[in-house]
Amino acid sequence: DQQVKQNSPSLSVQEGRISILNCDYTNSMFDYFLWYKKYPAEGPTFLISISSIKDKNEDGRFTVFLNKSAKHLSLHIVPSQPGDSAVYFCAAGTDSWGKLQFGAGTQVVVTP
Amino acid sequence: EAEVAQSPRYKITEKSQAVAFWCDPISGHATLYWYRQILGQGPELLVQFQDESVVDDSQLPKDRFSAERLKGVDSTLKIQPAELGDSAMYLCASSSGTSGGRGDTQYFGPGTRLTVL
């Protein structure tokens, strides 16, 4: 039972343009959400998070939007840079001991 | 910058053999997690420690997997015997645990890539 879904396995975007990554979840108990970035042969690196009491959080070129009624969140990267080429994982947690559920990831390729 | 350390980085073993992975979390982090990531999927939690105590091992296949964190610092994950389906990346993560893990950012190590032949 996959509670966090990233339906786009890959995304190709031109350098300087916007990258939009989407994530859907089914468990209404999730109350915080995170995005991780992963390069090959490395562990995931924390990127940005958002609490369920907010609908937007911004950190530099990265903005996460949360739509609780639609159980949907998205990550916007503006402008996209070649170093952003990586796999991006969406994760969600509940008000418990910090267990995270991860999506399957979206491979982003930023082309010059 | 403090990092989560894992070893070995790569491990190749034959089925029915025993394997062990080691993790050293960021200093001072009370919460430690072991995840398994199968190719093409997201990480899946196997076990979570708060200090030396297990707080969640519901997804750990206990007939063959074991995990310990005896002194509440570093941790070992063992598989015995290994099966072909265990081939995956095994990731360790840690968080400060100041709020029992909830909302804490988890920092991941580089992982151990296990191949079972």
Side-chain angles (χ1 to χ4, degrees), chain A residues 31-32 34 36 38 41-46 49 89 94-105, chain B residues 9-10 33 35 37 40-43 45 48 50 56 58-59 91 100-103 105-106 108-110:
Chain A
D31 63 359
Y32 67 100
L34 309 90
Y36 282 85
K38 185 180 184 302
E42 294 184 13
T45 303
F46 170 72
S49 64
F89 290 101
T94 64
D95 185 6
S96 62
W97 283 95
K99 178 177 180 176
L100 293 178
Q101 297 279 354
F102 283 82
Chain B
R9 293 291 307 274
Y10 303 91
Y33 312 79
Y35 287 87
Q37 185 187 3
Q41 300 181 18
L45 181 70
Q48 177 181 344
Q50 181 71 16
D56 188 341
S58 57
Q59 299 302 310
L91 294 161
R102 174 180 176 273
T105 298
Q106 296 183 25
F108 284 81

XYZ file of all heavy atoms in Angstrom, chain A residues 31-32 34 36 38 41-46 49 89 94-105, chain B residues 9-10 33 35 37 40-43 45 48 50 56 58-59 91 100-103 105-106 108-110:
396
model
N 1.314 14.968 8.587
C 1.276 16.377 8.971
C 2.577 17.118 8.701
O 2.703 18.288 9.043
C 0.841 16.542 10.424
C 1.817 15.904 11.392
O 2.823 15.308 10.940
O 1.569 15.994 12.602
N 3.559 16.437 8.125
C 4.698 17.182 7.617
C 5.285 16.437 6.429
O 5.148 15.220 6.319
C 5.752 17.458 8.697
C 6.472 16.252 9.240
C 7.738 15.917 8.787
C 5.904 15.482 10.233
C 8.410 14.827 9.303
C 6.563 14.388 10.749
C 7.814 14.065 10.288
O 8.480 12.989 10.799
N 8.485 16.403 3.264
C 9.857 16.775 2.962
C 10.201 16.389 1.529
O 9.607 15.469 0.958
C 10.851 16.053 3.891
C 10.599 16.112 5.406
C 9.731 14.940 5.864
C 11.914 16.070 6.162
N 13.705 15.316 -0.648
C 15.112 14.939 -0.602
C 15.624 14.848 -2.029
O 14.902 14.489 -2.956
C 15.307 13.589 0.090
C 15.227 13.623 1.597
C 14.000 13.550 2.248
C 16.372 13.729 2.371
C 13.919 13.581 3.633
C 16.311 13.755 3.759
C 15.081 13.676 4.379
O 15.006 13.715 5.749
N 18.809 13.168 -4.394
C 19.780 12.083 -4.316
C 20.607 12.011 -5.602
O 20.050 11.866 -6.695
C 19.076 10.748 -4.072
C 20.047 9.588 -3.853
C 19.297 8.292 -3.624
C 20.254 7.143 -3.305
N 21.246 6.907 -4.353
N 25.118 7.000 -6.103
C 26.135 6.517 -5.153
C 26.224 7.373 -3.886
O 27.218 7.291 -3.155
C 27.503 6.417 -5.804
N 25.222 8.200 -3.641
C 25.181 8.977 -2.397
C 23.844 8.758 -1.711
O 22.870 8.321 -2.331
C 25.362 10.473 -2.679
C 26.723 10.844 -3.225
C 26.868 12.347 -3.393
O 26.026 13.093 -2.875
O 27.841 12.759 -4.056
N 23.779 9.082 -0.411
C 22.504 9.023 0.288
C 21.666 10.244 -0.027
O 22.171 11.252 -0.510
N 20.363 10.178 0.250
C 19.482 11.341 0.024
C 19.913 12.528 0.883
O 20.328 12.348 2.027
C 18.106 10.826 0.443
C 18.196 9.336 0.349
C 19.607 9.003 0.706
N 19.795 13.709 0.329
C 20.125 14.951 1.031
C 18.850 15.757 1.226
O 18.103 15.981 0.276
C 21.133 15.786 0.219
O 22.295 15.008 -0.025
C 21.529 17.051 0.964
N 18.621 16.200 2.456
C 17.436 16.995 2.748
C 17.457 18.300 1.952
O 18.478 18.982 1.875
C 17.372 17.304 4.243
C 16.320 18.314 4.610
C 14.975 17.978 4.574
C 16.687 19.603 4.974
C 14.009 18.917 4.912
C 15.728 20.536 5.307
C 14.392 20.196 5.280
N 11.278 21.344 3.600
C 10.137 20.689 4.228
C 8.990 21.674 4.393
O 9.160 22.885 4.238
C 10.532 20.117 5.586
O 10.893 21.171 6.485
N 13.053 12.786 -4.087
C 12.076 11.985 -3.354
C 11.185 12.883 -2.516
O 11.661 13.785 -1.813
C 12.778 10.997 -2.419
C 13.504 9.884 -3.118
C 14.876 9.927 -3.277
C 12.810 8.787 -3.609
C 15.555 8.903 -3.921
C 13.479 7.754 -4.256
C 14.846 7.820 -4.409
N 3.958 11.441 10.068
C 2.791 11.679 10.921
C 3.241 12.122 12.305
O 4.433 12.128 12.614
C 1.943 10.407 11.067
O 2.741 9.419 11.737
C 1.532 9.869 9.716
N 2.293 12.482 13.120
C 2.583 12.933 14.483
C 2.891 11.720 15.343
O 2.110 11.304 16.163
C 1.375 13.693 15.026
C 1.653 14.290 16.393
O 2.795 14.208 16.861
O 0.710 14.832 16.989
N 4.050 11.137 15.103
C 4.432 9.938 15.853
C 5.931 9.994 16.104
O 6.448 11.013 16.514
C 4.040 8.687 15.067
O 4.745 8.657 13.841
N 6.621 8.903 15.868
C 8.044 8.862 16.160
C 8.901 9.153 14.941
O 10.026 8.727 14.872
C 8.424 7.521 16.779
C 8.033 7.454 18.201
C 6.895 6.924 18.699
C 8.767 7.964 19.320
N 6.874 7.060 20.066
C 8.006 7.696 20.476
C 9.998 8.617 19.461
C 8.434 8.052 21.748
C 10.419 8.973 20.738
C 9.642 8.704 21.857
N 8.371 9.862 13.986
C 9.211 10.366 12.901
C 9.324 9.450 11.707
O 10.092 9.714 10.799
N 8.559 8.358 11.673
C 8.627 7.450 10.527
C 8.194 8.177 9.269
O 7.157 8.839 9.247
C 7.704 6.253 10.767
C 7.647 5.256 9.617
C 6.765 4.076 9.987
C 6.685 3.075 8.857
N 5.902 1.882 9.241
N 9.000 8.082 8.223
C 8.698 8.715 6.949
C 8.296 7.678 5.919
O 8.847 6.579 5.865
C 9.915 9.487 6.425
C 10.369 10.716 7.198
C 11.601 11.318 6.551
C 9.251 11.749 7.280
N 7.315 8.060 5.092
C 6.948 7.275 3.922
C 7.480 8.022 2.705
O 7.234 9.221 2.556
C 5.427 7.139 3.821
C 4.791 6.396 4.982
C 4.895 4.896 4.852
O 5.352 4.398 3.836
N 4.473 4.174 5.878
N 8.190 7.308 1.840
C 8.795 7.933 0.669
C 8.057 7.562 -0.609
O 7.531 6.453 -0.736
C 10.256 7.470 0.517
C 11.218 8.138 1.451
C 11.366 7.695 2.747
C 11.980 9.212 1.026
C 12.256 8.305 3.622
C 12.877 9.833 1.878
C 13.003 9.376 3.178
N 8.055 8.491 -1.569
C 7.622 8.174 -2.913
C 8.740 7.460 -3.658
O 9.850 7.296 -3.141
N 8.454 7.054 -4.881
C 9.425 6.278 -5.669
C 10.491 7.146 -6.326
O 11.477 6.621 -6.851
C 8.693 5.459 -6.729
N 10.296 8.460 -6.306
C 11.313 9.351 -6.847
C 11.031 9.811 -8.261
O 10.336 9.138 -9.033
N 30.800 0.352 1.810
C 30.005 1.036 0.791
C 29.388 0.044 -0.179
O 28.300 0.256 -0.690
C 30.873 2.038 0.036
C 31.350 3.209 0.869
C 30.185 4.137 1.248
N 29.406 4.559 0.094
C 29.696 5.600 -0.662
N 30.784 6.318 -0.406
N 28.922 5.928 -1.691
N 30.108 -1.046 -0.424
C 29.631 -2.081 -1.326
C 29.902 -3.446 -0.697
O 30.939 -3.648 -0.059
C 30.328 -2.004 -2.687
C 30.176 -0.660 -3.363
C 31.118 0.342 -3.169
C 29.080 -0.393 -4.176
C 30.984 1.587 -3.774
C 28.926 0.852 -4.781
C 29.883 1.833 -4.569
O 29.739 3.056 -5.172
N 17.916 5.528 12.114
C 17.016 4.784 11.241
C 17.817 3.922 10.265
O 18.849 4.355 9.758
C 16.164 5.740 10.389
C 15.497 6.879 11.129
C 16.223 8.023 11.478
C 14.139 6.838 11.438
C 15.604 9.087 12.130
C 13.523 7.904 12.081
C 14.266 9.027 12.425
O 13.653 10.074 13.061
N 17.052 2.127 6.596
C 16.130 2.027 5.475
C 16.690 1.049 4.441
O 17.907 0.888 4.302
C 15.957 3.380 4.766
C 15.159 4.417 5.506
C 15.765 5.262 6.424
C 13.799 4.584 5.254
C 15.032 6.248 7.078
C 13.059 5.571 5.906
C 13.697 6.399 6.816
O 12.967 7.365 7.470
N 16.431 0.510 0.267
C 15.934 1.085 -0.974
C 16.198 0.125 -2.123
O 17.357 -0.133 -2.479
C 16.595 2.431 -1.277
C 16.003 3.090 -2.509
C 16.742 4.332 -2.933
O 17.756 4.712 -2.361
N 16.213 5.004 -3.940
N 14.610 1.764 -8.117
C 13.363 2.247 -8.702
C 12.283 2.557 -7.686
O 11.177 2.964 -8.059
N 12.594 2.372 -6.404
C 11.624 2.660 -5.350
C 12.229 3.633 -4.338
O 13.427 3.886 -4.342
C 11.211 1.364 -4.645
C 10.569 0.334 -5.560
C 10.158 -0.917 -4.806
O 10.030 -0.913 -3.579
N 9.938 -1.995 -5.533
N 11.367 4.170 -3.495
C 11.855 5.038 -2.441
C 12.329 4.232 -1.246
O 12.046 3.043 -1.130
N 13.085 4.855 -0.349
C 13.538 4.154 0.861
C 12.358 3.681 1.700
O 11.341 4.374 1.802
C 14.351 5.225 1.602
C 14.751 6.211 0.549
C 13.617 6.221 -0.428
N 11.461 2.199 5.584
C 12.011 2.061 6.929
C 12.013 0.604 7.374
O 11.011 -0.089 7.283
C 11.193 2.891 7.913
C 11.692 2.856 9.356
C 13.008 3.610 9.502
C 10.648 3.429 10.316
N 13.778 1.717 13.572
C 14.073 3.038 14.132
C 14.440 2.886 15.602
O 13.748 2.197 16.360
C 12.858 3.954 13.998
C 13.046 5.334 14.618
C 11.818 6.212 14.481
O 10.922 5.934 13.684
N 11.777 7.286 15.259
N 15.470 4.964 19.216
C 15.561 6.175 20.011
C 16.553 5.837 21.120
O 16.251 5.027 21.998
C 14.212 6.592 20.595
C 14.236 7.872 21.410
C 14.432 9.120 20.562
O 14.257 9.097 19.347
N 14.767 10.219 21.201
N 10.394 1.285 16.431
C 9.597 0.784 15.310
C 10.433 -0.214 14.532
O 11.459 0.147 13.971
C 9.148 1.935 14.401
C 8.148 1.502 13.326
O 8.060 0.296 13.033
O 7.460 2.377 12.771
N 8.464 -2.669 12.720
C 7.335 -3.377 12.140
C 7.608 -3.906 10.730
O 6.972 -4.851 10.282
C 6.099 -2.475 12.127
O 6.370 -1.272 11.414
N 8.522 -3.275 10.003
C 8.830 -3.708 8.641
C 10.131 -4.506 8.564
O 10.593 -4.812 7.458
C 8.920 -2.481 7.713
C 7.639 -1.675 7.626
C 6.472 -2.508 7.152
O 6.555 -3.204 6.144
N 5.371 -2.454 7.885
N 20.350 2.103 3.696
C 20.652 3.472 4.112
C 20.454 3.638 5.610
O 19.490 3.139 6.178
C 19.725 4.458 3.395
C 19.893 4.573 1.882
C 18.654 5.207 1.256
C 21.123 5.396 1.542
N 11.277 13.534 19.713
C 10.908 12.136 19.539
C 10.923 11.712 18.091
O 10.343 10.700 17.724
N 11.561 12.503 17.251
C 11.637 12.157 15.838
C 10.645 12.918 14.992
O 10.897 13.177 13.821
N 9.539 13.342 15.577
C 8.514 13.991 14.786
C 9.024 15.326 14.275
O 9.437 16.194 15.035
C 7.265 14.213 15.630
C 6.188 15.023 14.912
C 4.977 15.227 15.782
N 4.000 16.075 15.141
C 4.004 17.406 15.210
N 4.924 18.008 15.917
N 3.102 18.121 14.586
N 8.987 15.490 12.979
C 9.385 16.755 12.377
C 10.877 16.955 12.305
O 11.337 17.936 11.741
N 14.523 16.671 10.964
C 15.130 16.383 9.678
C 16.017 15.161 9.821
O 16.830 15.080 10.742
C 15.949 17.584 9.191
O 15.078 18.701 9.025
C 16.621 17.270 7.860
N 15.867 14.225 8.906
C 16.698 13.035 8.897
C 17.846 13.246 7.924
O 17.622 13.639 6.776
C 15.871 11.814 8.494
C 14.775 11.487 9.498
C 14.006 10.241 9.136
O 14.496 9.360 8.435
N 12.782 10.154 9.613
N 20.982 11.457 5.955
C 21.317 10.128 5.484
C 22.811 9.951 5.252
O 23.519 10.889 4.881
C 20.603 9.836 4.154
C 19.141 9.526 4.309
C 18.211 10.540 4.457
C 18.701 8.214 4.317
C 16.856 10.258 4.608
C 17.351 7.913 4.465
C 16.437 8.938 4.614
N 23.268 8.723 5.461
C 24.606 8.336 5.082
C 24.651 7.951 3.615
O 23.624 7.973 2.934
N 25.835 7.566 3.102
C 25.980 7.241 1.687
C 25.393 5.898 1.298
O 25.209 5.628 0.114
C 27.504 7.239 1.479
C 28.046 6.890 2.816
C 27.120 7.513 3.809
